[in-house]
Amino acid sequence: MPRTMDRARPANVAKSEATRRGLITAGRRLFGEQGYAATSVDEVVKAAGVTKGALYHHFRDKDDLFRAVVEGVKVDVTAIAAESFYDDSGNDDPLQRVHRLFIAMIDAHLDPAVQRISIIDARSVFDAATRRDLATRYEASLLRGAFRTAMRAGAIEQQPLAPLAHIFAGALAEACALIAEADDKDAARAEVTEVLARLVDGLQPRA
């Protein structure tokens, strides 16, 4: 009997993990298409093909599911941006790599579903502490690594790393919000990219 239970446990764990992934996938699609407020728990469980009890087994409520969706989006966005920074094929200097990272972060947020989930709805659903916690784990963490590399190379001036990363993560969030809310998104992207480039250039060591 114990051996049978041991064999059943991994299968149950795999099934549970698959259910959770299915709920997050369904939630991401619906939140991205309809928005948080317009998406009901009933719609999510129907799209995932599970019961409402299964959702509440994995998540406290819709807000908890939404946080998991937002984290999934942030994982994808920061992974895409990180590839642009750590790609040495262009043989460019560390400051150019920081510029490239910011552009990649902005472009990763151009998808309407990403904008709706991680920028527009996240601001209305989460309080400031939750948003700061998410930024610390994702955007600020990525920027901290990029700025550390640039400081070590002498491309930007030595300064407190954590505040720098958080301040620029906030600027980046505002830049993405401006694009998401703009009527002319191409013009907004060009404007915020120029502003961020000037801010990054201002980090260079003083003569």
Side-chain angles (χ1 to χ4, degrees):
M1 182 66 70
R3 291 180 180 177
T4 302
M5 292 178 65
D6 288 342
R7 287 195 298 268
R9 188 174 295 111
N12 289 337
V13 170
K15 182 178 180 181
S16 178
E17 290 176 350
T19 298
R20 189 177 190 278
R21 287 195 303 270
L23 285 163
I24 293 173
T25 299
R28 181 166 176 167
R29 178 175 65 80
L30 291 168
F31 291 140
E33 292 174 354
Q34 304 175 174
Y36 174 86
T39 300
S40 68
V41 166
D42 288 336
E43 288 178 292
V44 174
V45 298
K46 181 179 180 181
V50 300
T51 64
K52 192 178 291 187
L55 185 145
Y56 289 120
H57 173 74
H58 291 281
F59 304 100
R60 293 188 305 274
D61 50 26
K62 191 171 82 164
D63 284 8
D64 196 30
L65 170 63
F66 184 65
R67 173 161 182 154
V69 169
V70 171
E71 292 208 42
V73 171
K74 287 181 177 291
V75 166
D76 292 345
V77 166
T78 53
I80 291 169
E83 287 181 6
S84 75
F85 181 79
Y86 292 105
D87 177 13
D88 289 326
S89 60
N91 296 317
D92 45 2
D93 64 41
L95 190 66
Q96 290 176 318
R97 293 170 68 187
V98 173
H99 279 294
R100 194 169 64 210
L101 175 64
F102 274 93
I103 292 172
M105 288 288 284
I106 288 172
D107 287 349
H109 283 87
L110 294 179
D111 180 85
V114 171
Q115 289 177 347
R116 184 186 292 274
I117 292 169
S118 67
I119 300 296
I120 299 171
D121 283 351
R123 289 187 167 201
S124 63
V125 174
F126 301 139
D127 59 21
T130 300
R131 294 196 303 272
R132 190 176 299 110
D133 176 62
L134 289 169
T136 299
R137 295 175 60 191
Y138 297 99
E139 293 90 348
S141 178
L142 178 61
L143 293 176
R144 191 163 56 247
F147 286 138
R148 182 185 295 110
T149 299
M151 283 184 194
R152 288 174 176 171
I156 65 176
E157 191 171 319
Q158 293 291 327
Q159 54 198 289
L161 192 57
L164 179 67
H166 276 278
I167 288 169
F168 269 85
L172 182 63
E174 286 300 317
C176 292
L178 286 170
I179 296 171
E181 296 166 357
D183 293 327
D184 187 339
K185 298 188 186 305
D186 290 337
R189 178 192 178 280
E191 291 172 352
V192 302
T193 300
E194 181 180 355
V195 170
L196 285 171
R198 289 175 180 270
L199 291 175
V200 170
D201 286 340
L203 298 175
Q204 296 179 83
R206 300 169 188 175

